[in-house]
Amino acid sequence: MSERLTLSLDAMGGDHAPHMVIEGMQIARKRYPEVHYLLFGDERRIAPLVPQEMQDRVTLRHTDQVISGDAKPSQAVRTGRTSSMGLAIKAVKDGEAAGVVSAGNTGALMAMAKLMLRTLPGIDRPAIATMIPTVRGESIMLDLGANTEVQANNLVEFAIMGEVFARCLLGHVQPSIGLLNIGSEDLKGTDALREAHRILREHPLNMRFHGFVEGDDIGAGTVDVVVTDGFTGNVALKTAEGTAKLYTKFLKDAFGSSLLARIGYLLAKGALAKVRQRTDPRRYNGAMLIGLNGICVKSHGGTDAVGFANAIGVAVDLIRNRLNDRIREECTRLAAQPDPVPAVAPSSVVSG
């Protein structure tokens, strides 16, 4: 058995909390029996849900304060320190837990985690990174909503963090990196994109830099890590999610349109089940708030227990693979290179 690891869970975050959180914890237990959980939330609602066989793996800490889904990040920072989310983050800050998982308000989680955990040395701005399905398997994409505007140094940092993330989570020895742009030609894109392209091309960072990629390269899996600003990344991700829902609706309508179509559905049912499994959003649930001085994983607010269990798995895998230590090492190596990345003014931060 692996060495014991402690995770803190925001037991009240998400549309279906706390039931979804507790059930997800039970599912994750099968894969990670060595994990101990610090649960933060309303003891009266949580305690009856914890099964007897998990009593020795759970420590419950009561708070009746919850950050609502529509709370502004500034409000959460001012009033949410004793909320289930705030206390779960603080457990990581205090060294009681190796990581935190929450399905709560994204903007609040980012703001509070950045304030309490701070950023890693050498990282100007944290980013939101997650796995996405592609034709070739899975890729990593970041930023997905933390930074609406970025400069070249931010994109370079995202590339470094995304490359390490892909090595830790996907097991790639040397993942390929691409900058999302409106074309693959070197002269296209913003000044920040072109400057980041130059730095990644010219510096011996030991990364396999592909160059610019376009929107259709994301699903094609042209690169293992897609790097972009938070505004573009969030729009791209939600467009892909909306397109998937659209085609699901088209398929349902088509298979229900006639008797022959329904017979066709029965014949194709097995193949469609494989497609559904491959594109199941629960499988890719668990976005990392990468660049913080602690592991912080954001689960989708509307997920179920299976999805939340996968978010727990993301946190455990990143902790076990020393994600933050490896990011520190890469940033130290970047700082030692000649022609350092130019300093820039801070960019704005929002939630996706």
Side-chain angles (χ1 to χ4, degrees):
M1 181 178 291
S2 301
E3 181 183 353
R4 175 170 140 163
L5 180 154
T6 300
L7 284 181
S8 63
L9 304 183
D10 171 12
M12 308 307 292
D15 298 345
H16 309 294
H19 293 78
M20 169 272 294
V21 174
I22 305 305
E23 291 172 7
M25 185 180 67
Q26 290 176 254
I27 295 171
R29 170 176 170 256
K30 298 174 183 177
R31 181 179 175 190
Y32 305 104
E34 74 279 9
V35 176
H36 184 90
Y37 298 95
L38 291 178
L39 295 180
F40 295 89
D42 189 338
E43 185 175 9
R44 292 163 297 183
R45 296 179 59 190
I46 298 169
L49 302 175
V50 179
Q52 185 63 39
E53 63 269 20
M54 289 203 68
Q55 295 289 337
D56 62 339
R57 291 183 175 87
V58 172
T59 300
L60 177 54
R61 296 187 181 173
H62 174 75
T63 177
D64 54 12
Q65 186 178 355
V66 179
I67 294 178
S68 64
D70 58 356
K72 294 181 179 179
S74 56
Q75 177 187 355
V77 168
R78 288 195 307 271
T79 65
R81 288 179 179 269
T82 57
S83 66
S84 58
M85 179 186 291
L87 292 174
I89 297 170
K90 187 174 183 296
V92 178
K93 175 187 176 183
D94 293 344
E96 291 186 278
V100 56
V101 183
S102 173
N105 183 313
T106 304
L109 184 67
M110 173 61 86
M112 295 179 70
K114 186 176 180 183
L115 179 67
M116 285 196 245
L117 302 178
R118 305 295 182 182
T119 55
L120 289 167
I123 298 298
D124 179 43
R125 298 206 171 274
I128 300 175
T130 194
M131 288 193 303
I132 54 174
T134 74
V135 172
R136 294 175 51 239
E138 289 85 31
S139 292
I140 301 297
M141 189 169 176
L142 75 166
D143 179 22
L144 298 177
N147 306 278
T148 55
E149 297 177 1
V150 297
Q151 300 296 331
N153 71 315
N154 302 126
L155 292 170
V156 173
E157 289 170 3
F158 295 170
I160 292 171
M161 294 191 293
E163 197 258 3
V164 176
F165 190 90
R167 281 192 272 139
C168 289
L169 205 59
L170 302 181
H172 295 324
V173 176
Q174 193 175 33
S176 55
I177 315 293
L179 286 172
L180 188 61
N181 200 353
I182 58 173
S184 57
E185 297 85 355
D186 290 356
L187 297 178
K188 287 194 173 182
T190 63
D191 291 342
L193 274 170
R194 292 197 300 272
E195 176 63 9
H197 185 278
R198 181 192 69 79
I199 294 168
L200 291 169
R201 276 278 188 225
E202 297 178 4
H203 280 257
L205 299 175
N206 198 33
M207 288 195 293
R208 190 153 60 97
F209 181 56
H210 174 88
F212 288 134
V213 294
E214 300 181 68
D216 57 349
D217 288 308
I218 298 174
T222 302
V223 292
D224 300 311
V225 180
V226 179
V227 176
T228 185
D229 63 88
F231 184 92
T232 305
N234 191 276
V235 171
L237 180 67
K238 290 181 177 177
T239 299
E241 291 174 347
T243 302
K245 291 177 181 177
L246 176 67
Y247 274 90
T248 299
K249 177 67 166 58
F250 284 169
L251 281 172
K252 286 182 178 179
D253 291 346
F255 281 122
S257 61
S258 68
L259 176 60
L260 284 176
R262 287 193 286 273
I263 294 172
Y265 168 75
L266 292 175
L267 294 173
K269 192 173 181 179
L272 290 171
K274 291 181 180 179
V275 173
R276 190 180 303 112
Q277 182 181 17
R278 178 83 181 271
T279 58
D280 187 347
R282 300 177 303 176
R283 180 178 175 182
Y284 305 97
N285 187 49
M288 171 72 181
L289 274 58
I290 197 167
L292 296 173
N293 192 28
I295 299 297
C296 183
V297 173
K298 171 65 175 72
S299 167
H300 194 288
T303 195
D304 63 8
V306 173
F308 195 81
N310 284 333
I312 289 174
V314 169
V316 173
D317 288 343
L318 294 178
I319 293 165
R320 293 291 188 213
N321 284 286
R322 301 173 45 251
L323 172 78
N324 281 349
D325 289 341
R326 293 163 78 170
I327 290 175
R328 288 189 192 95
E329 292 166 4
E330 293 299 319
C331 288
T332 299
R333 198 160 57 81
L334 174 63
Q337 298 294 332
D339 185 20
V341 181
V344 295
S347 57
S348 57
V349 178
V350 299
S351 66

